[in-house]
Amino acid sequence: MFENGAGAAPRHEPPRLTAVAAEPLTAEALLHRTALGEDDAFADLYDLMAPRVYGLCLRVLRDPAQAEEVAQEVLLEVWRTATRFDERRGSAGAWITTIAHRRAVDRVRSAQAAGERERRATAEAAEPEYDSVAETAANRMEHRQVRRCLKTLTELQRQAVTLAYYGGHTYRQVAALLETAVPTVKTRIRDGLGKLRDCLEVAR
């Protein structure tokens, strides 16, 4: 009825819809979804936790290459064991970093054990297999005379000297073969070689 007049009814514009940004999911939510087999959730969890996991591993290992390798192992373990996470016992971040710390410490201990084994092997390789008396006897005396003089030794002396002299075993190896302590083997070899030397001197 009113046409462009002052009394025309006001026009009402439709309400405008504003987009509401979705809040990012928490680590706990992503972990629960990962446990349900949602690969996208794990990808988001990976992006969220990888820097933190790597930083922790680097602090423990002090080697970027090893830290990266261990971090990958940790996140793979998280993916495989996501169903074990219990939110009642702590946060997802704490659960994941606990795994990371354990893995990093295990790698350090493994490297230390390997280094210790290598040091022991090097030390045993450097240990003389027999002393200079036996070497002199081998160079100067006939095997017949040596065998005859060996009969003058006690059983343990003869076994120890024979294993070291003829077998080329180290003191530790001789001790293991005779089931005897290393200091005892060293004493028996020293005493036996002393008797052997005296016997060979007389046989000249």
Side-chain angles (χ1 to χ4, degrees):
M1 190 167 62
F2 298 99
E3 295 182 3
N4 299 326
R11 295 180 180 179
H12 296 283
E13 296 289 339
R16 295 183 179 179
L17 299 177
T18 56
V20 178
E23 293 185 2
L25 293 174
T26 63
E28 286 75 17
L30 291 171
L31 195 52
H32 284 309
R33 289 174 59 179
T34 298
L36 295 174
E38 297 185 23
D39 292 339
D40 290 343
F42 176 69
D44 291 339
L45 181 65
Y46 185 101
D47 292 340
L48 179 66
M49 294 301 302
R52 185 174 172 183
V53 170
Y54 172 77
L56 189 153
C57 292
L58 184 60
R59 286 196 299 273
V60 175
L61 295 166
R62 301 181 183 278
D63 182 319
Q66 287 202 54
E68 184 175 352
E69 183 179 334
V70 172
Q72 293 290 337
E73 294 175 358
V74 169
L75 292 165
L76 181 60
E77 182 176 348
V78 169
W79 177 68
R80 289 175 173 172
T81 63
T83 55
R84 299 179 188 174
F85 170 64
D86 185 353
E87 194 170 352
R88 293 170 299 181
R89 301 179 62 180
S91 68
W95 184 70
I96 293 171
T97 53
T98 297
I99 296 174
H101 186 266
R102 185 186 68 242
R103 282 268 189 169
V105 170
D106 286 347
R107 177 64 67 92
V108 171
R109 289 173 177 168
S110 177
Q112 289 174 341
E116 183 61 28
R117 287 194 298 271
E118 184 176 348
R119 285 192 292 272
R120 285 200 301 267
T122 301
E124 289 186 3
E127 186 176 83
E129 295 175 351
Y130 49 84
D131 67 14
S132 59
V133 176
E135 186 174 357
T136 300
N139 291 334
R140 296 182 180 179
M141 300 301 172
E142 297 290 339
H143 289 292
R144 183 182 302 174
Q145 293 173 328
V146 173
R147 286 196 297 270
R148 180 175 59 80
C149 290
L150 281 171
K151 295 179 181 179
T152 66
L153 307 182
T154 66
E155 181 66 20
L156 184 55
Q157 287 174 344
R158 183 166 58 254
Q159 289 178 334
V161 170
T162 300
L163 287 170
Y165 179 61
Y166 289 111
H169 295 287
T170 65
Y171 290 130
R172 291 182 183 276
Q173 291 169 339
V174 172
L177 290 169
L178 298 180
E179 298 182 350
T180 306
V182 173
T184 301
V185 165
K186 290 183 177 181
T187 300
R188 296 298 181 270
I189 291 178
R190 186 186 65 243
D191 294 346
L193 290 174
K195 289 183 180 181
L196 186 62
R197 179 190 57 204
D198 293 341
C199 179
L200 293 171
E201 288 289 338
V202 172
R204 282 187 182 182

